[in-house]
Amino acid sequence: MQFRFNPVRQATAERLGTELDAFYTGSLTIARFWEAMQNRDPEVRTAGGKRGDAVETLNWTVNVDEDAFDDDDSAMVAMADAQKDALQRFYSHLRVTDIMKQDVMGGVGVLARQMLDARAKGWAVHEIIWKPDPNGELAAELRFCPLYWFENRFGKLRFLESDYQTYGIEMKAGEWLVTAADNYMEAVTTLWLCKRSLLQAWVRFCEKFGQPLPVIKTDAPKGSAEWNNAEDALAAIGEDWGLVLNNAASLEFPPMDRSGDNTFQSLHEDLKRTIVTIILGSDLATISAGSGQGQGASLQGQEDAKRERADASLISETLNRQLDKFVINYMFGPDVPVLVKFALVPSKRQDIAQELAVDKEFRAMGVEISKADIRERYGRSEPKDGEELVGEVDQPDSAEQDQQDTPEPGDAMANEAQFANALRNEAIKEIAKARALEVVSIADTLKDVLQMDDAGKMLNALKTWQLNATERAKRILANPTQFGLVWEKHLATNVLTGISSAPKA
């Protein structure tokens, strides 16, 4: 039975300072306080929950290590395929729970979320319960354990068999899954204490100065029945304070300065933003919007993608070292090389506005884009036969169209006009294609710039791209290649067409 208490009631600056000192010497009892902060503080809970949600919903896969063997080694290829199937079955049947909340049951998603607690506290620990079956398959159940069940006095976690032990017992490989990372709760602790003290002071301020002072004036002497009745009336309408005065007495209150409200509010907002920034690397869009500052939220999507990739990498590498190897060695033998590995797949984040802008520029350059590519990138399926189309316009049937397109036999001017229009349209298409070939390298460079994650680097690259525009234009003009040839061809064609269609003398 573990000893339990309410850590928030004891979360004074002195107590948490002592716990932090003990943390640096290997005691992990401060994890009790960190758990309470994660559950009760709105900013810690929201930011930490957002980070956990991101990894819990990621897809996973099992990849073959292509560098571990040659492609023409058929035996190794077959072994890799067999290992991949075995590891996929293992993770598909993996069961995960929380030792303190055993109604929680899940698979890889729940495991990823629990392992990410290492980002908060420095470690996340699961007990591994292996479940082999007679058919040679291997399954497992992982049980998430509180961090204060362990100690780190010798540089490696050890299990405490009771709350009153100082030194734990060794944790053997294959019995525990230990995820280790830098923690952010150590930095959040001081900010949390400051925010808690600030809120308490703000509440006291509002209680004292948030309501007016009621005053009853009477001619009755103090202690008389009338005076006592006035006191009773005041008690009935007042909260915690009020005043009964004789008309002969005088009491004045100077106007109260409420400027302290702004000080409390601005400091509280700063503390909230700093806590969220420590956890996420950037603040929440809602905080920036509420304070009128959008600089932190403008790059939030890029920061989310970086953080998600880093978290997925931490989880994948930990499982590769501590689970994948054990599973493969159990099912294929201890001397068999591990040719596969588990991987969490970071989500692909799509900037629709940026992709539409690039597509528009490509069309202006004459670069052809297939409809299949457009549908795949924007998640739009091809319409089925007979379905109503968005923006569909009634088209004349083929007979009517042929009749409209066919000029009268004797209308020579109509034939010449059609021929001239056809030549002009063809010329425009070929010139656009030639122009696109001339500037395709420019477009590739611009596309690479727009895909940069860092806003500062993107801005500098765009400035450099703009400064080099003149030199690029000079090079194209000096070496016209296909662009010039197409112009020459169509100018000559148009001249001959004009001569042939000119009125005869």
Side-chain angles (χ1 to χ4, degrees):
M1 178 64 68
Q2 296 292 319
F3 174 68
R4 299 190 181 192
F5 75 109
N6 184 353
V8 175
R9 297 188 182 188
Q10 302 185 35
T12 63
E14 293 77 13
R15 175 63 185 271
L16 285 177
T18 301
E19 292 287 350
L20 281 173
D21 291 340
F23 177 75
Y24 301 140
T25 61
S27 173
L28 304 181
T29 54
I30 195 173
R32 296 179 186 272
F33 294 91
W34 287 347
E35 265 189 19
M37 294 177 198
Q38 288 175 298
N39 291 329
R40 299 190 182 190
D41 184 84
E43 283 68 49
V44 178
R45 186 182 182 93
T46 301
K50 180 178 180 180
R51 197 161 183 169
D53 291 342
V55 297
E56 186 173 5
T57 55
L58 293 181
N59 294 323
W60 61 271
T61 187
V62 175
N63 296 323
V64 176
D65 186 359
E66 302 290 351
D67 297 330
F69 56 91
D70 296 330
D71 293 339
D72 56 357
D73 191 338
S74 58
M76 295 298 285
V77 171
M79 175 65 71
D81 291 339
Q83 290 186 8
K84 181 177 180 179
D85 291 341
L87 204 57
Q88 284 178 332
R89 291 194 303 272
F90 172 79
Y91 280 105
S92 296
H93 295 90
L94 185 66
R95 293 293 174 263
V96 183
T97 188
D98 187 328
I99 199 70
M100 303 296 288
K101 193 186 296 184
Q102 297 186 32
D103 289 328
V104 173
M105 292 295 295
V108 172
V110 174
L111 174 63
R113 188 186 192 96
Q114 292 173 347
M115 291 176 68
L116 201 63
D117 198 49
R119 294 285 195 200
K121 302 186 182 78
W123 295 271
V125 186
H126 288 81
E127 182 186 12
I128 305 175
I129 308 298
W130 296 105
K131 298 180 177 181
D133 66 19
N135 298 324
E137 293 292 325
L138 183 63
E141 179 179 330
L142 302 185
R143 300 176 178 177
F144 186 50
C145 302
L147 185 59
Y148 48 81
W149 285 9
F150 306 88
E151 54 91 2
N152 186 45
R153 288 182 169 83
F154 296 96
K156 194 170 183 178
L157 287 190
R158 298 196 301 179
F159 176 64
L160 295 171
E161 294 181 299
S162 76
D163 278 332
Y164 305 102
Q165 277 188 303
T166 302
Y167 301 101
I169 61 174
E170 181 184 358
M171 299 164 60
K172 296 180 180 180
E175 296 181 0
W176 302 90
L177 172 66
V178 179
T179 310
D182 293 334
N183 75 82
Y184 57 71
M185 286 304 297
E186 185 179 347
V188 166
T189 300
T190 302
L191 297 172
W192 181 84
L193 274 172
C194 292
K195 191 178 77 162
R196 182 167 178 258
S197 300
L198 177 70
L199 284 175
Q200 291 172 343
W202 198 357
V203 169
R204 291 194 299 269
F205 178 87
C206 292
E207 288 176 346
K208 188 171 184 180
F209 300 107
Q211 58 186 358
L213 171 69
V215 178
I216 295 179
K217 294 183 179 182
T218 177
D219 292 329
K222 184 177 181 180
S224 65
E226 292 83 356
W227 182 279
N228 294 335
N229 290 337
E231 286 185 343
D232 293 340
L234 187 65
I237 65 173
E239 289 285 341
D240 296 322
W241 64 335
L243 192 61
V244 177
L245 290 176
N246 189 286
N247 280 332
S250 175
L251 178 67
E252 295 183 359
F253 281 90
M256 290 182 291
D257 184 5
R258 293 291 304 274
S259 60
D261 275 346
N262 295 331
T263 303
F264 283 121
Q265 184 173 359
S266 61
L267 183 54
H268 185 243
E269 291 297 325
D270 287 344
L271 288 171
K272 290 200 301 182
R273 183 179 294 105
T274 305
I275 288 174
V276 172
T277 302
I278 289 174
I279 298 174
L280 295 180
S282 62
D283 68 349
L284 293 171
T286 51
I287 295 180
S288 288
S291 62
Q293 300 179 13
Q295 295 88 346
S298 61
L299 298 177
Q300 186 178 345
Q302 297 178 10
E303 293 297 330
D304 287 348
K306 291 180 181 178
R307 184 178 61 251
E308 186 180 286
R309 289 196 298 269
D311 291 342
S313 177
L314 170 69
I315 293 168
S316 299
E317 291 180 2
T318 301
L319 292 175
N320 296 158
R321 291 192 304 269
Q322 301 185 41
L323 279 189
D324 294 3
K325 182 177 175 60
F326 191 94
V327 172
I328 297 301
N329 288 343
Y330 175 86
M331 299 185 68
F332 296 90
D335 299 327
V336 172
V338 179
L339 305 177
V340 295
K341 56 185 178 181
F342 169 92
L344 273 184
V345 183
S347 57
K348 181 181 179 182
R349 299 180 183 271
Q350 187 177 23
D351 190 334
I352 300 294
Q354 180 177 320
E355 291 207 24
L356 286 173
V358 173
D359 289 345
K360 183 178 179 180
E361 290 297 322
F362 277 10
R363 284 180 58 84
M365 296 175 188
V367 179
E368 297 177 345
I369 304 175
S370 71
K371 292 183 178 180
D373 174 66
I374 292 290
R375 288 195 176 100
E376 180 180 355
R377 283 192 287 119
Y378 297 112
R380 301 295 183 264
S381 60
E382 186 174 359
K384 299 178 180 178
D385 294 338
E387 284 187 331
E388 184 179 358
L389 304 180
V390 176
E392 186 174 21
V393 180
D394 293 336
Q395 301 291 338
D397 58 30
S398 58
E400 293 178 353
Q401 186 67 42
D402 291 342
Q403 186 176 0
Q404 293 175 6
D405 293 343
T406 304
E408 293 296 329
D411 195 351
M413 293 299 294
N415 285 333
E416 291 178 2
Q418 278 191 341
F419 182 63
N421 287 335
L423 283 177
R424 184 171 61 253
N425 292 335
E426 184 65 23
I428 291 173
K429 291 181 180 178
E430 291 197 20
I431 289 171
K433 290 180 181 179
R435 181 188 176 202
L437 291 174
E438 298 288 355
V439 298
V440 66
S441 61
I442 300 175
D444 290 340
T445 303
L446 182 59
K447 182 179 179 182
D448 292 339
V449 170
L450 293 176
Q451 289 179 342
M452 291 182 177
D453 291 335
D454 187 275
K457 292 181 180 179
M458 181 188 295
L459 183 59
N460 291 333
L462 285 173
K463 289 180 179 178
T464 303
W465 185 86
Q466 186 177 11
L467 292 173
N468 293 335
T470 303
E471 294 299 324
R472 287 194 299 270
K474 288 180 180 179
R475 287 197 299 271
I476 291 175
L477 292 175
N479 301 284
T481 61
Q482 187 67 23
F483 190 54
L485 296 176
V486 171
W487 266 111
E488 181 180 354
K489 168 187 171 183
H490 287 287
L491 284 175
T493 303
N494 286 332
V495 168
L496 294 173
T497 302
I499 294 174
S500 64
S501 61
K504 301 298 186 290

